[in-house]
Amino acid sequence: MNNSEYLKQERAAAWRDDLRKAKKNKERTSLARVKMPEAPPMERARSYVEVNSGLTPEQAINEASRCIDCANPTCISGCPVEINIPKFVKNIERGEFLEAAKVLKETNALPAVCGRVCPQEKQCEANCFYQLKLSTEPVAIGYLERFAADFEQQSGKISIPEVAHSNGIKVAVIGSGPAGLAFAGDMAKLGYEVVILEALHEIGGVLKYGIPEFRLPNSIVDVEIESLRKMGVKFETNFIVGKTATIDDLREEGFKGFFVGSGAGLPRFMNIPGENLVGVLSSNEYLTRINLMGASSQGMDTPVVRGKKVAVIGGGNTAMDSVRTALRLGAEKVSIIYRRSLEEMPARVEEVKHAQEEGVEFLTLNNPVEYIGDDKGKVKQIRVQRMELGEPDSSGRRSPVAVDGSEYIIDADTVVVSVGVSPNPILPQSLPQLKVSRWGTIEVDPDTLQSSIPDIFAGGDIVRGGATVILAMGDGRKAAASMHQYLTNQTKK
């Protein structure tokens, strides 16, 4: 049975048919989209309380009833992990919240994470009937995903996906970020012995070191990881593949396949004067010190710069996370400096809105050209140049062009640079025969995610060079299916 036939069969279930008949579509489409309850801006800006507080059961049921259960659910085509969206949403409408969570877990190893950080507005919700046909606000699929996953976690009745009988084949996952976790979940379901090898001392990758707790609490991530443990996935921390052990060493230990999901943790800078001044640091370092090493808490060994006037360079989600973290560390003035306009900013609209509510200043169409230090080598000012938008570049965004004679000085005692990342080179350097691009990303077959070395597959930021959690998870699932096919063929030989 193909996926289309499966979805049609699921939709024909008696309970789904009864729900569709219970309320006319005109009544469903007249309902207003739910507003996510939020902690007050000035209260949350100085604490790590989670900003979005989640829907109540009544709000969730009402929002789920907006879904008209389309015969051709276009929302699914926008989901990189192909969640059966109508099925989980309709389970919420009928009050079967635990069943909704179970549906999510059929294809998504991290539903409580994705419900918080996935850019649904560009994916499933962008493909919702309401958007495509009515040009109105889509069903709040992301809010509902979070609701179902949170309800299950809080109920204590956490369902663990079924796993096949062990086939005795060992596979290694390099990196425990979203790509690696998604890959591990699917391979465990297929009966493989899965071992995740993580370079850091905590499991979770960017979910732990890159995303602050006011957006994604670590406790939520830990529950999802525990589910994978119960499926038989094993974890080893402080293990750097290429240093602690090579791929050849691991092959000798009996591993038959490898998935590289080591991410892109190497920060980029702009190569402008003053980048080596004290107080200028990358967003990777800044967020890792705080999110992973606890530098914001008293008595921790890891220090962090606590500036009073903090400028963050960049316009992505990581820049928003950094500037909002600076507020929570006690900064008096925080600014985003971004070379394009607010409309071109790649951060989620919700993250920009939250930052604005919390008092972040946005210096758009501005770009730093020099950091100026004091006599002790510490940053004290930024020379900024005004920009204007020119013709669109290859990404479709209009290119920023410097305005001659527009430079000016602003005060800053801390600068956090968030202008992109590159893949960590350690693993590729340990495998000379592995093909990589000029940007250091691993080259793979786009259909299978198989690398130039047959038993090595890769996905997420190590291939894409920087993307979203859900795209990385989609890669992990695709690579799992491909590796399963590859290893099945190998055992037949």
Side-chain angles (χ1 to χ4, degrees):
M1 184 189 301
N2 63 34
N3 197 44
S4 177
E5 290 168 343
Y6 163 74
L7 292 174
K8 197 173 287 185
Q9 186 182 80
E10 289 286 313
R11 186 176 183 271
W15 69 269
R16 293 267 291 270
D17 192 44
D18 290 343
L19 273 182
R20 284 194 296 275
K21 290 173 180 173
K23 193 175 284 189
K24 290 189 171 72
N25 282 351
K26 190 174 181 181
E27 188 181 350
R28 294 181 186 279
T29 56
S30 68
L31 296 170
R33 177 179 160 118
V34 69
K35 301 292 182 193
M36 171 62 78
E38 298 174 354
M42 290 305 104
E43 176 187 307
R44 71 188 191 228
R46 299 297 179 184
S47 77
Y48 274 80
V49 64
E50 191 174 1
V51 176
N52 288 344
S53 46
L55 304 182
T56 65
E58 294 74 23
Q59 286 175 316
I61 289 170
N62 193 60
E63 183 63 22
S65 71
R66 291 181 69 222
C67 172
I68 63 171
D69 201 3
C70 302
N72 175 27
T74 49
C75 52
I76 298 176
S77 67
C79 177
V81 295
E82 299 181 322
I83 291 169
N84 187 342
I85 293 168
K87 187 179 179 183
F88 102 77
V89 170
K90 292 290 116 180
N91 267 301
I92 290 175
E93 184 182 346
R94 67 172 178 158
E96 294 289 346
F97 306 145
L98 292 176
E99 193 61 34
K102 199 176 287 187
V103 173
L104 287 167
K105 287 183 173 181
E106 288 172 5
T107 57
N108 185 353
L110 309 169
V113 170
C114 292
R116 286 168 166 81
V117 302
C118 183
Q120 294 95 359
E121 67 278 5
K122 294 179 181 177
Q123 294 175 329
C124 54
E125 292 181 13
N127 288 275
C128 173
F129 167 84
Y130 281 80
Q131 280 272 281
L132 298 180
K133 302 295 184 184
L134 303 181
S135 298
T136 189
E137 288 189 301
V139 174
I141 298 167
Y143 295 170
L144 294 175
E145 179 178 23
R146 171 185 166 160
F147 170 79
D150 283 2
F151 183 90
E152 186 194 53
Q153 287 197 7
Q154 291 157 12
S155 75
K157 300 172 184 174
I158 297 174
S159 63
I160 306 300
E162 284 184 32
V163 299
H165 183 71
S166 174
N167 59 21
I169 301 173
K170 289 171 67 177
V171 296
V173 184
I174 300 159
S176 67
L181 295 174
F183 172 89
D186 276 16
M187 292 300 272
K189 286 178 187 175
L190 292 166
Y192 290 89
E193 293 181 24
V194 185
V195 181
I196 293 182
L197 306 171
E198 169 55 51
L200 295 171
H201 63 286
E202 284 262 7
I203 300 298
V206 70
L207 303 175
K208 283 284 186 73
Y209 75 75
I211 304 177
E213 291 219 63
F214 57 80
R215 203 151 72 85
L216 177 63
N218 284 343
S219 59
I220 296 291
V221 182
D222 288 337
V223 173
E224 309 269 50
I225 290 168
E226 188 56 32
S227 290
L228 289 172
R229 274 202 178 91
K230 288 176 178 173
M231 291 169 66
V233 176
K234 295 183 173 65
F235 298 89
E236 283 194 45
T237 54
N238 303 305
F239 196 112
I240 302 173
V241 177
K243 296 288 185 184
T244 310
T246 65
I247 292 287
D248 280 339
D249 293 334
L250 294 169
R251 287 190 184 111
E252 287 181 20
E253 288 184 31
F255 287 95
K256 301 299 182 186
F258 302 87
F259 175 73
V260 184
S262 51
L266 187 65
R268 286 187 203 148
F269 285 88
M270 297 171 64
N271 295 318
I272 61 175
E275 283 185 331
N276 288 326
L277 290 168
V278 176
V280 179
L281 66 166
S282 73
S283 55
N284 290 53
E285 179 184 347
Y286 188 64
L287 292 173
T288 299
R289 283 175 178 271
I290 296 157
N291 298 340
L292 191 67
M293 310 300 289
S296 58
S297 304
Q298 296 297 321
M300 301 301 285
D301 291 337
T302 300
V304 70
V305 179
R306 291 174 180 262
K308 293 300 179 188
K309 295 178 180 178
V310 180
V312 175
I313 317 302
N317 288 325
T318 306
M320 296 305 133
D321 288 341
S322 300
V323 78
R324 296 172 68 201
T325 293
L327 271 175
R328 286 154 176 81
L329 287 181
E332 294 167 1
K333 183 180 181 182
V334 293
S335 307
I336 283 282
I337 301 177
Y338 180 58
R339 62 189 184 139
R340 288 184 166 97
S341 73
L342 204 62
E343 288 69 37
E344 279 80 25
M345 199 167 269
R348 292 186 71 187
V349 171
E350 182 180 68
E351 299 309 317
V352 174
K353 168 185 167 285
H354 286 160
Q356 289 172 324
E357 289 172 349
E358 291 169 11
V360 173
E361 177 185 36
F362 281 76
L363 298 175
T364 54
L365 290 171
N366 281 275
N367 206 34
V369 292
E370 181 186 5
Y371 304 121
I372 301 164
D374 60 18
D375 56 4
K376 293 180 180 175
K378 189 177 187 316
V379 68
K380 65 172 185 177
Q381 292 175 320
I382 308 172
R383 189 183 306 281
V384 180
Q385 186 169 45
R386 289 192 171 90
M387 312 293 283
E388 60 186 11
L389 294 178
E391 294 302 311
D393 63 13
S394 58
S395 71
R397 293 185 298 172
R398 292 171 66 192
S399 299
V401 179
V403 176
D404 290 338
S406 65
E407 293 181 7
Y408 65 103
I409 303 289
I410 63 170
D411 293 334
D413 57 11
T414 304
V415 177
V416 180
V417 181
S418 183
V419 295
V421 286
S422 299
N424 190 309
I426 292 176
L427 179 68
Q429 285 173 356
S430 72
L431 292 165
Q433 67 273 46
L434 185 68
K435 283 188 182 174
V436 296
S437 71
R438 60 193 177 96
W439 298 282
T441 54
I442 296 175
E443 293 189 352
V444 295
D445 179 313
D447 295 323
T448 64
L449 301 185
Q450 188 173 31
S451 75
S452 57
I453 301 173
D455 62 351
I456 297 179
F457 295 70
D461 288 359
I462 190 74
V463 170
R464 295 174 178 270
T468 61
V469 166
I470 195 67
L471 285 174
M473 291 180 66
D475 286 354
R477 296 204 69 219
K478 182 190 278 191
S482 299
M483 186 185 288
H484 175 56
Q485 188 65 53
Y486 165 78
L487 292 173
T488 301
N489 292 340
Q490 291 297 107
T491 54
K492 289 177 181 176
K493 290 180 180 178

